[in-house]
Amino acid sequence: MKNGIRLAALGGVILTGALALSACGSDDNTTPGDAAKAPADGNCVAATVNAAGSSAQKNAIDEWIKNYTANCAGAVLNYNPSGSGAGIEAFIGKQASFAGSDSALKPEEATSAKERCAGNNALNLPMVVGPVAVAYNLEGVEGLQLSPETLAKIFAGEIKKWNDPAIAADNPDAKLPDENITTIHRADESGTTDNFTKYLAAVAPDVWKFELGKVWTAPGGQGGTKSDGVTTLVKQSKGSIGYVEMSYAENADLSTVKVKNGAGEYTELTAESASKVVAGAEITGTGNDLSLKIDYATKTPGAYPIVLVTYEIACEGGLTGTEGEFVKSFLTYTASDAGQAALEGLGYAPLPQEIITKVRASIDAISVS
């Protein structure tokens, strides 16, 4: 990997942590509402730690940092939302204590990560469910519905006009304009792209023949850097359509597509409809690794099919001192009831109980020397 190129960008990491407002282990003088935001069991570690990766989870990490550091004097977490690929490289290169990634480690990445973790495995820990919105900017058209095949043909460049017969068939009551379609994709390496292209390949294999992964390989369209870049392009470009995490679409007040699932329903994107897909995910990791396989063709009634799970990637062992203690403490908080509840209203879906219970057990198994 070209670590030098990506790691150099970490020199400009933005300080998103804040110094605490009260001491670790101090007497509880918070209100019940404040207590719900506190680190689990009152545990915290005063240290400065760097992390990097997924921009999809930036809003979640910001909220967690605010809550954690407000209850722990001297605790600082610098999170650089550099994208999943750059975050993994930073973690492997020991520039980040843990990474956020919208895709689990690939085999070659896991091998390098094991070296970084002093011979211990790096764990993929599901922590944030980020539904992927298909956002569009089309004046006069609300509640746009798209089937998987139509969606794939749009992003493959086969459907070029908004009044194409295939789109009209999905939207029999809509007045569709004779207007060109502009597709928007991620220009940087992105776990969101990885998940979105996996979805297209799974549900429309006869259409989506392009290489899968963090890099967009389909022809045409415009590229936006990071989630903010895609959101901005969709918002500014009439006749555009792009893919971005639900939290960004909601914050930008973008219209989102109702996507047809395996049960034949055009499903609106909500936290609840997205969570239904994750509940049926298969755990493909072994031991304390919790890599998930999402069923994009889910037939679960009411399920929205395009979701990504952001993992926190951390060493199962090998981190030492306050660095290791901080990582374990912070992840313990993010996986707690309080940590997951803090995401309400931020555009994320809750991790199902059967998944979060396993995540907590894996974090508890992390050893710090």
Side-chain angles (χ1 to χ4, degrees):
M1 294 184 179
K2 299 178 181 178
N3 291 340
I5 297 174
R6 289 266 168 70
L7 300 181
L10 290 173
V13 68
I14 299 172
L15 180 67
T16 53
L19 293 180
L21 301 179
S22 60
C24 299
S26 60
D27 293 335
D28 183 10
N29 56 6
T30 60
T31 65
D34 292 332
K37 297 180 179 180
D41 303 322
N43 294 325
C44 63
V45 176
T48 297
V49 167
N50 296 328
S54 166
S55 61
Q57 70 166 358
K58 178 184 180 297
N59 295 333
I61 286 284
D62 285 349
E63 185 70 14
W64 285 331
I65 289 173
K66 180 182 71 175
N67 296 340
Y68 187 91
T69 59
N71 290 278
C72 187
V76 177
L77 174 58
N78 305 315
Y79 184 77
N80 183 5
S82 53
S84 298
I88 289 172
E89 290 189 14
F91 173 69
I92 290 173
K94 298 186 178 181
Q95 301 297 308
S97 298
F98 68 92
S101 176
D102 303 330
S103 301
L105 292 172
K106 296 178 180 178
E108 62 271 22
E109 293 172 335
T111 299
S112 297
K114 189 167 185 175
E115 294 179 12
R116 183 261 189 271
C117 295
N120 299 280
N121 291 324
L123 301 179
N124 297 286
L125 302 170
M127 201 67 71
V128 179
V129 178
V132 179
V134 180
Y136 67 98
N137 182 345
L138 192 60
E139 188 175 352
V141 179
E142 298 181 0
L144 184 70
Q145 302 180 157
L146 294 175
S147 67
E149 293 80 7
T150 303
L151 189 59
K153 287 180 179 180
I154 289 173
F155 280 93
E158 295 182 21
I159 293 178
K160 302 179 184 297
K161 291 277 191 177
W162 278 111
N163 62 348
D164 187 275
I167 300 178
D170 288 338
N171 300 271
D173 299 324
K175 186 176 181 181
L176 300 167
D178 183 12
E179 187 175 336
N180 291 332
I181 297 173
T182 299
T183 57
I184 310 295
H185 58 266
R186 283 284 289 267
D188 54 324
E189 287 193 13
S190 165
T192 310
T193 294
D194 190 23
N195 282 272
F196 186 62
T197 55
K198 283 178 180 176
Y199 163 77
L200 294 175
V203 298
D206 292 338
V207 177
W208 201 257
K209 302 292 187 179
F210 309 103
E211 186 177 351
L212 308 182
K214 296 184 177 72
V215 177
W216 184 262
T217 57
Q222 297 181 22
T225 302
K226 302 182 183 178
S227 301
D228 282 327
V230 171
T231 303
T232 299
L233 281 175
V234 173
K235 195 170 184 68
Q236 293 178 347
S237 308
K238 292 184 178 181
S240 64
I241 185 169
Y243 59 94
V244 70
E245 298 77 19
M246 183 173 79
S247 58
Y248 286 85
E250 287 187 342
N251 289 342
D253 198 27
L254 295 175
S255 298
T256 58
V257 172
K258 294 181 180 178
V259 179
K260 192 175 184 179
N261 62 21
E265 305 169 332
Y266 290 100
T267 310
E268 184 177 358
L269 172 56
T270 65
E272 293 73 23
S273 64
S275 185
K276 290 181 180 180
V277 177
V278 180
E282 175 189 355
I283 296 176
T284 58
T286 58
N288 290 313
D289 180 73
L290 299 175
S291 304
L292 300 177
K293 181 179 180 180
I294 303 295
D295 180 11
Y296 294 116
T298 178
K299 295 183 179 180
T300 301
Y304 179 84
I306 317 176
V307 301
L308 62 80
V309 174
T310 293
Y311 300 89
E312 309 308 334
I313 298 174
C315 294
E316 188 171 18
L319 290 183
T320 60
T322 55
E323 177 191 22
E325 292 170 358
F326 184 104
V327 171
K328 184 169 183 174
S329 172
F330 184 75
L331 296 182
T332 296
Y333 163 61
T334 64
S336 69
D337 287 340
Q340 290 292 300
L343 302 182
E344 293 179 8
L346 296 181
Y348 300 103
L351 274 170
Q353 191 62 41
E354 55 265 45
I355 301 294
I356 198 65
T357 298
K358 292 181 172 64
V359 171
R360 291 168 183 166
S362 293
I363 294 171
D364 189 57
I366 292 176
S367 62
V368 179
S369 56

